[in-house]
Amino acid sequence: MSYEKVLTQRTCYEGLFDTHFSMVNLDLSVPVQMLKNGTAPFKKLTRCNMGNPCGVGQKEITVVRQLIAACLSPEIRESNLIPEDVKARANVILSGCPGGNSGSYCATEGIEPIRVGVAEYITKQDGYPCDHNSVVLTNGATEAILSILRPIIRSKYDAILIPRPGFPMYNAAISYYGGAEVSYDLDEESNWGFSLAALESALDECRTRGLVPRCIVLTNPSNPTGTVQTYQDIQNIIEFAYKNNMLVIADQVYQHNIYEPETYPFISCRQVMLDLNKQGKCQGLELISINSVSKSCYGECGRRGGYWQHENLDAKVVSQLLDIVSLGATNTDGMIAMDVYCNPPKPGDVSYALWKKEYDAIFNALQSKARMVAKEMNGWEGLSCCVPTGAMYVYPRIHASQKAVEAAKKLGKEADELYCKDLVEQTGIVVLPGAMFGQKAGTYHFRMTILLNQGDMEEALQTWKAFHHAWMTKYQ
Ligand SMILES: Cc1ncc(COP(=O)(O)O)c(C=O)c1O
């Protein structure tokens, strides 16, 4: 008798192999091998590929770790390592954990005092009261997205409208759940803003393909373009969603990464929707807003803290969804990190001065790098770059020649993939090709993070500039 594997590529759920998300497990075997066997013309890999701040040397903000440590261990909590205000907050948080212990399974929707703090943060931000019962704490934004998309997608005919370029996790999740992804193009000419024509054309695509548009995703600020959307753009999306009966997912994980707040402030989708509601418009629109502690100046990607906040969802759907989420339970460290994000030390607290110093240092560095990188790259022949007003990325366009496009084609690649491959193999600098995020046919981009420290960034740009010039000349 022979045993046949139950799980093979041929026999497993087909969605598994339809789903591609190679951002995290990028294949760097060639440059790594070059470094190993001493043939690399560079000394190390310079990682500008992932929005993973702590992974590229950003220092943690002390109070986050202090609060987690204080909730973790009574000895630490009672020691003089922890400032009094942090001890006090830890005690409030622990009062919301069963048994007063952060090691317990906590309520599915999250530890209550933290949800109250999140709701207060949202209330202050939007200028409209937020009930903490509409807040659900999650294992990062990813879990929120996965939980919410699941019940929206009933079959391959249910379409989710997503921005192009956009965060590829949405494409992956939609494929995994067997739904249909329909992209709406962001407009590079208007600094990657929304265009109503692009939204209408996505709707036309739904009609042609016989799809039911169920949901539209708005990412603000945007990954990968670094754009902070205007009030008018957000209003257009909301009105479009309402008119066409779609639920809105507002992915706002970069809401603290706002580099030109005077001209491009962050405006939440919820605020715009509630403004419209006040005028009697778009009432009852289902809106889910998402946030995370992985981004901002905290950058605690490994902590897995996030939340979703919902408006106008059917109560039975929410309760059933929470029942499913409870199968996995949300980790307490992530929730505690989210607590600091929404409820940081205040003037007068012992921990305030250090928090402010650390937070401002990270923010100022990000702001100055966002400005510096775009300015530098815009000076390079054959590259143009919208100045990022938010998030952690620049997304320049490579004006690749026909010769470069053809050379790439011979290798089965797009021109931006060839550019990124040559860049890493010649300089060790790792960035991601625009093909990974979606781009208009015939245009080529790459996404670079602005997370390296200033010195490393300047050094990388010098090496890169020489590479870039040589690459453009080669394919002239
Ligand atoms: C737009 C967007 N949403 C969600 C996430 C996922 O965040 P988290 O680490 O909280 O799961 C990312 C991560 O890069 C992102 O860019």
Side-chain angles (χ1 to χ4, degrees):
M1 216 168 76
S2 69
Y3 177 82
E4 271 186 39
K5 279 192 195 304
V6 174
L7 273 186
T8 66
Q9 187 160 351
R10 193 177 48 79
T11 57
C12 74
Y13 164 60
E14 62 186 23
L16 184 65
F17 284 94
D18 287 346
T19 305
H20 303 283
F21 184 66
S22 47
M23 276 176 96
V24 178
N25 303 314
L26 197 64
D27 180 8
L28 293 171
S29 52
V30 173
V32 166
Q33 191 54 40
M34 288 163 85
L35 275 171
K36 267 196 198 140
N37 62 24
T39 57
F42 47 86
K43 293 200 178 63
K44 60 176 175 16
L45 288 182
T46 304
R47 291 182 184 271
C48 303
N49 55 316
M50 258 181 84
N52 186 16
C54 293
V56 288
Q58 182 174 302
K59 205 183 152 300
E60 66 279 5
I61 289 186
T62 306
V63 66
V64 175
R65 304 296 174 92
Q66 283 175 333
L67 187 61
I68 292 171
C71 289
L72 200 63
S73 148
E75 286 74 25
I76 295 177
R77 188 161 62 252
E78 279 145 29
S79 76
N80 57 13
L81 289 170
I82 305 296
E84 287 308 315
D85 57 307
V86 179
K87 282 184 190 171
R89 187 64 193 160
N91 285 325
V92 172
I93 291 173
L94 291 172
S95 74
C97 302
N101 194 321
S102 67
S104 56
Y105 285 129
C106 291
T108 306
E109 51 274 42
I111 300 170
E112 175 129 342
I114 301 180
R115 292 169 69 216
V116 170
V118 172
E120 282 168 6
Y121 164 82
I122 296 173
T123 300
K124 198 161 156 216
Q125 179 181 66
D126 297 349
Y128 290 100
C130 172
D131 180 350
H132 76 274
N133 289 314
S134 67
V135 172
V136 179
L137 302 176
T138 55
N139 293 307
T142 300
E143 188 192 69
I145 298 163
L146 293 174
S147 305
I148 294 154
L149 283 177
R150 181 60 287 188
I152 298 175
I153 298 172
R154 300 162 301 180
S155 78
K156 63 182 182 186
Y157 298 107
D158 281 343
I160 312 291
L161 271 58
I162 53 176
R164 178 170 57 197
F167 180 45
M169 203 216 108
Y170 285 98
N171 312 59
I174 295 164
S175 307
Y176 195 52
Y177 290 154
E181 145 208 338
V182 174
S183 298
Y184 63 91
D185 284 313
L186 300 176
D187 180 15
E188 188 164 14
E189 305 307 313
S190 70
N191 203 13
W192 298 109
F194 298 123
S195 96
L196 277 171
L199 294 175
E200 288 300 337
S201 125
L203 214 52
D204 281 347
E205 184 181 333
C206 288
R207 286 189 199 107
T208 319
R209 289 169 58 191
L211 305 173
V212 184
R214 297 264 287 166
C215 163
I216 184 163
V217 176
L218 150 117
T219 309
N220 180 38
S222 153
N223 174 8
T225 67
T227 310
V228 179
Q229 302 297 350
T230 62
Y231 191 102
Q232 187 59 55
D233 275 351
I234 301 167
Q235 178 173 338
N236 287 347
I237 289 260
I238 292 174
E239 291 179 338
F240 172 83
Y242 186 77
K243 188 169 139 209
N244 296 293
N245 218 88
M246 280 180 250
L247 178 152
V248 177
I249 295 180
D251 183 330
Q252 301 174 153
V253 301
Y254 298 100
Q255 61 189 266
H256 282 190
N257 299 87
I258 303 295
Y259 305 127
E260 308 299 339
E262 302 292 318
T263 36
Y264 291 97
F266 171 72
I267 302 159
S268 81
C269 198
R270 180 174 178 273
Q271 183 204 316
V272 178
M273 185 187 85
L274 295 176
D275 284 352
L276 290 170
N277 287 173
K278 222 162 61 179
Q279 301 159 31
K281 295 183 193 160
C282 302
Q283 268 152 359
L285 179 72
E286 293 152 286
L287 168 66
I288 294 171
S289 307
I290 294 174
N291 201 358
S292 164
V293 82
S294 298
K295 313 299 167 183
S296 69
C297 291
Y298 295 102
E300 293 273 3
C301 297
R303 214 55 55 199
R304 311 312 299 135
Y307 67 77
W308 52 283
Q309 189 276 333
H310 54 93
E311 295 291 336
N312 301 319
L313 283 200
D314 181 289
K316 286 222 170 73
V317 170
V318 174
S319 122
Q320 182 63 15
L321 202 48
L322 289 176
D323 215 29
I324 303 287
V325 171
S326 74
L327 297 171
T330 304
N331 85 91
T332 46
D333 289 4
M335 296 194 229
I336 298 165
M338 203 73 234
D339 188 67
V340 177
Y341 181 110
C342 290
N343 186 16
K346 299 183 181 43
D349 291 343
V350 181
S351 56
Y352 178 76
L354 179 61
W355 168 80
K356 176 103 178 93
K357 185 169 152 231
E358 292 175 339
Y359 190 95
D360 286 354
I362 294 172
F363 179 82
N364 292 337
L366 284 170
Q367 185 182 49
S368 109
K369 285 180 287 182
R371 292 171 179 170
M372 185 264 286
V373 174
K375 187 160 176 241
E376 169 68 27
M377 287 189 165
N378 273 323
W380 299 357
E381 190 73 33
L383 215 60
S384 58
C385 178
C386 292
V387 180
T389 46
M392 299 175 163
Y393 315 102
V394 282
Y395 194 64
R397 177 165 174 185
I398 312 162
H399 298 272
S401 65
Q402 197 50 35
K403 206 166 152 191
V405 173
E406 273 154 25
K409 207 178 265 168
K410 278 196 191 126
L411 299 170
K413 294 186 187 304
E414 296 288 343
D416 49 347
E417 293 171 315
L418 177 64
Y419 182 95
C420 295
K421 174 183 173 301
D422 289 348
L423 178 69
V424 71
E425 290 178 11
Q426 292 174 34
T427 68
I429 299 169
V430 194
V431 294
L432 301 177
M436 214 174 245
F437 301 90
Q439 55 198 350
K440 272 192 180 165
T443 68
Y444 306 99
H445 302 80
F446 60 83
R447 190 196 76 172
M448 174 204 184
T449 61
I450 52 165
L451 296 170
L452 292 180
N453 71 48
Q454 185 93 16
D456 288 350
M457 182 80 92
E458 281 166 12
E459 198 184 310
L461 285 173
Q462 283 320 305
T463 316
W464 191 340
K465 189 177 179 177
F467 159 85
H468 178 78
H469 181 69
W471 197 86
M472 294 311 278
T473 310
K474 179 176 171 188
Y475 292 112
Q476 226 164 31

